[in-house]
Amino acid sequence: MLSIVETRLQIAPSILAADFARLGDEVDTIAAHVDLLHVDVMDGHFVPNVSLGVPVIESLRAVTDLKFDCHLMMLNPDYYFPALQKAGADSVTVHIEVYPNPTEAAESCRTESLGFGLAINPPTPFAAIEPFIELCDMIVVMSVNPGFGGQSFIDASMEKVAAARNFVESHGLLTDIEIDGGIGPANIRRARDAGANVFVAGSSVFRTEDPVAAVEELRAQIRETE
Ligand code: DX5
Ligand code: ZN
């Protein structure tokens, strides 16, 4: 019998690693093979980089039915919830470092009928998010310091994944646990075994010769074996 985690394993390619000049084609190539599209929005303040925003999400919405998992690496994300919803976002993730108490942000998100995720950076202790897990559809454990794709996986993040999985299971919750940063075929299985069930993969999908084969390889790694 499949475990609950097994039935809800999801691969979420991050378009940050895609060729932005061919974004529609890049998404189209993988669309039938993935579960979610991870959309990294950066403001140049919370993280030292800028990426994309509402107009790009709106354009992408016109060319795909994939769910958009929008990771908001910005200082005042709640201001943009209505615009993001209108543009086609399905869920938004904000950072606990931006909202030490995210209760109001979660409420604004619900008002817009958006899924709510809470992300935690590598230096932030698990205790910071623990009181708020029940507000969330998804916990996002950052396994790199946010801002750039293509960084090396920070191994200590596995402990946070395990703590989140333990909390979710012991409270009878169905909260998704996503891991974001440096995920590839060499470590995705360990992330799954630690308790992650949603896997962001940027470079290990879009920066390969064959993104579909790369997704299938990631999926093969996390598939339950006999
Ligand atoms: C980092 C972003 C990640 C990034 C992942 O700030 O939040 O989603 O795109 O890219 P890879 O998989 O290349 O580490
Ligand atoms: Zn991300």
Side-chain angles (χ1 to χ4, degrees):
M1 199 170 101
L2 297 176
S3 67
I4 288 179
V5 172
E6 174 79 5
T7 58
R8 301 170 63 227
L9 294 172
Q10 298 181 77
I11 305 280
S14 165
I15 58 169
L16 190 62
D19 177 352
F20 281 11
R22 307 172 36 248
L23 198 47
D25 290 343
E26 292 264 73
V27 170
D28 199 42
T29 301
I30 51 138
H33 303 267
V34 307
D35 305 286
L36 280 178
L37 203 62
H38 187 81
V39 180
D40 287 309
V41 179
M42 303 180 187
D43 69 348
H45 294 280
F46 178 61
V47 288
N49 197 6
V50 288
S51 54
L52 55 86
V54 171
V56 174
I57 293 169
E58 192 175 5
S59 297
L60 275 180
R61 178 44 76 218
V63 298
T64 181
D65 293 330
L66 277 174
K67 289 207 160 148
F68 293 166
D69 157 30
C70 298
H71 178 190
L72 308 181
M73 289 163 274
M74 55 201 297
L75 289 183
N76 52 347
D78 62 319
Y79 178 82
Y80 295 93
F81 290 168
L84 287 162
Q85 194 280 337
K86 195 157 173 272
D90 295 282
S91 65
V92 292
T93 290
V94 303
H95 273 258
I96 191 71
E97 296 81 10
V98 172
Y99 296 118
N101 182 338
T103 310
E104 273 184 36
E107 279 166 13
S108 319
C109 188
R110 301 294 176 202
T111 304
E112 297 299 331
S113 304
L114 289 162
F116 183 71
L118 196 54
I120 179 166
N121 281 344
T124 307
F126 176 72
I129 55 164
E130 192 169 2
F132 308 110
I133 291 177
E134 279 162 273
L135 296 176
C136 303
D137 299 300
M138 184 158 80
I139 298 298
V140 181
V141 175
M142 294 306 301
S143 39
V144 297
N145 288 303
F148 300 91
Q151 302 182 75
S152 299
F153 183 80
I154 297 172
D155 222 72
S157 59
M158 294 290 193
E159 286 161 35
K160 235 178 265 173
V161 169
R165 175 55 60 196
N166 186 37
F167 184 97
V168 163
E169 301 282 317
S170 63
H171 289 75
L173 303 172
L174 287 172
T175 319
D176 286 314
I177 299 172
E178 178 176 86
I179 188 152
D180 183 9
I183 288 288
N187 56 18
I188 192 168
R189 178 70 195 203
R190 281 195 299 128
R192 179 230 139 108
D193 290 345
N197 71 295
V198 185
F199 307 88
V200 176
S203 312
S204 66
V205 169
F206 287 115
R207 299 284 165 100
T208 63
E209 285 292 310
D210 184 346
V212 171
V215 167
E216 294 310 335
E217 168 63 9
L218 292 173
R219 222 183 267 291
Q221 292 291 336
I222 53 175
R223 201 164 288 142
E224 195 76 87
T225 49
E226 299 299 314

